[in-house]
Amino acid sequence: GDEDTLLFVFMAHLFVENNDDNIGFHDIDDIFDDNEIPSWVKREFRTRESELFEKELIENVNEDGMARSDAFKLTDKAKEELLCELNINEVGKSVNGLIKAETLAEKNLIYNTSECNQITELSSILSENRFNEVQNRLRSVGMRPGFCCIFYGAPGTGKTETVYQLARQTGRDIMRVDVDKIKSCWVGESEKNIKALFDRYRNICKNSKLAPILLFNEADAVLGVRMEGAAKAVDKMENSIQNIILQEMETLEGIMIATTNLTTNLDKAFERRFLYKIRFDKPSVESRAKIWQTMLPDLSEHDAQTLASQFDLSGGEIENIARKHSVNAILKGNDSIDVQEIINSCRHERLSQNNCPKIGF
């Protein structure tokens, strides 16, 4: 029915825009006017009676071999058949565990001046010819040829997306590491996982014309200050993982970029090993106005300036509000910009942010 079609379009939108393969009922809330999901939607999704399951367009998220009844994703069939027909590029298509550079969609990111200059310089250094030159110079003076960078700062400031855009610009694939997935409940397994990961990265570098980027995403858990005299098994494991990463950074031949929301608690041993450190601050008023106009092109310059001045939001938060507005516009069949409605969304975003801290993308 129409409702199923709308739900699928919305879930496809979340996948294409966010690479979101873990969609919960709280995400689906956004498409209903009163922010209350009708009970029939929850029932049909929980019992798998929805047409979307019958047509193999969506499936439950699988965690440790168990299907979750409250989290859903598009099936591979839906991604391959329907999204290809719509000519929508899958964001970051993975082949053999590597996110291929040519599948990364171009995204216009807006930075503050200091970040912009550093990222432009980094993009130039990571280009094929320049990077070979930099590595040769480092070797000639007896320095480590590995190139380690850290992007740190507030959630929603575009750290991870910047890595994707750098990869796209320089033609480098990405080997993405989500630290939480590496940690195993079996003591000793996490250390093996980390060592195996660096071994695999080394082999890929040897067999690739261009070294891929090793991305440690949201690496707060392993970049924080190490525990002195750690007694608990979990603390010992984290210290052990940190020591392995520190050793591997010493012998790294390729490119490692870590992203973290930590701004003050970074371990000094890690800080020394990162050649490039780029701090991502919340956007300035001028940058916020540009982000508003990029996200909502029909917004007048005056309204964009008003929103930017009144609300100190990150780029991720502005994008979230713009998305909600776009979905509501589709539902109401009205493309006109209601600035007061956007202001209300900004106030709501700020309240929810204060009540429940968000993790950055």
Side-chain angles (χ1 to χ4, degrees), residues 175-222:
M175 182 172 162
R176 175 171 165 149
V177 182
D178 289 300
V179 177
D180 286 343
K181 290 177 185 172
I182 288 274
K183 288 185 179 179
S184 166
C185 57
W186 301 102
V187 175
E189 285 296 309
S190 293
E191 291 90 326
K192 284 181 192 170
N193 288 342
I194 286 282
K195 284 178 180 170
L197 183 138
F198 277 101
D199 285 342
R200 181 164 175 265
Y201 180 68
R202 250 189 300 279
N203 287 333
I204 291 170
C205 285
K206 279 178 191 170
N207 297 312
S208 303
K209 183 174 180 247
L210 275 180
I213 294 170
L214 179 60
L215 167 59
F216 271 80
N217 197 47
E218 293 190 1
D220 306 37
V222 291

Side-chain angles (χ1 to χ4, degrees), residues 74-138:
L74 301 192
T75 60
D76 288 341
K77 175 186 170 183
K79 291 172 190 174
E80 287 165 14
E81 294 180 11
L82 296 182
L83 297 191
C84 284
E85 283 179 22
L86 292 170
N87 198 27
I88 295 171
N89 290 325
E90 184 177 331
V91 177
K93 192 172 178 65
S94 179
V95 177
N96 296 330
L98 284 180
I99 299 169
K100 305 303 286 179
E102 63 270 18
T103 68
L104 293 165
E106 183 174 359
K107 193 166 182 179
N108 179 27
L109 296 177
I110 291 158
Y111 303 104
N112 296 324
T113 308
S114 61
E115 294 150 13
C116 186
N117 293 340
Q118 291 179 85
I119 292 158
T120 303
E121 185 180 341
L122 187 55
S123 179
S124 168
I125 289 169
L126 295 183
S127 65
E128 185 178 358
N129 294 339
R130 184 96 189 274
F131 186 67
N132 291 339
E133 182 191 320
V134 167
Q135 281 203 313
N136 290 334
R137 281 193 189 178
L138 287 170

Side-chain angles (χ1 to χ4, degrees), residues 241-254:
I241 289 173
Q242 286 177 316
N243 288 331
I244 292 165
I245 295 172
L246 286 167
Q247 288 162 18
E248 293 287 355
M249 287 172 78
E250 288 288 334
T251 56
L252 188 84
E253 291 272 332

Side-chain angles (χ1 to χ4, degrees), residues 207-330:
N207 297 312
S208 303
K209 183 174 180 247
L210 275 180
I213 294 170
L214 179 60
L215 167 59
F216 271 80
N217 197 47
E218 293 190 1
D220 306 37
V222 291
L223 297 179
V225 174
R226 280 167 295 168
M227 304 284 288
E228 293 295 330
K232 292 181 186 172
V234 172
D235 293 336
K236 280 183 177 175
M237 179 193 74
E238 293 205 344
N239 280 4
S240 181
I241 289 173
Q242 286 177 316
N243 288 331
I244 292 165
I245 295 172
L246 286 167
Q247 288 162 18
E248 293 287 355
M249 287 172 78
E250 288 288 334
T251 56
L252 188 84
E253 291 272 332
I255 300 156
M256 172 180 165
I257 303 180
T259 68
T260 174
N261 296 331
L262 291 174
T263 52
T264 55
N265 203 31
L266 186 64
D267 191 286
K268 294 291 180 196
F270 279 107
E271 201 172 315
R272 285 194 300 275
R273 283 168 174 79
F274 286 115
L275 194 61
Y276 256 71
K277 306 175 191 76
I278 302 180
R279 181 188 174 103
F280 285 68
D281 288 311
K282 277 199 170 181
S284 63
V285 174
E286 184 185 25
S287 295
R288 285 199 297 273
K290 284 180 186 171
I291 295 169
W292 274 115
Q293 286 198 289
T294 301
M295 295 293 166
L296 294 171
D298 292 336
L299 202 63
S300 72
E301 199 172 319
H302 175 265
D303 287 340
Q305 198 64 41
T306 301
L307 291 164
S309 304
Q310 284 188 18
F311 300 99
D312 178 24
L313 299 171
S314 71
E317 288 164 336
I318 293 171
E319 189 172 9
N320 197 30
I321 292 162
R323 249 190 223 114
K324 287 177 185 173
H325 167 82
S326 300
V327 170
N328 285 337
I330 291 166

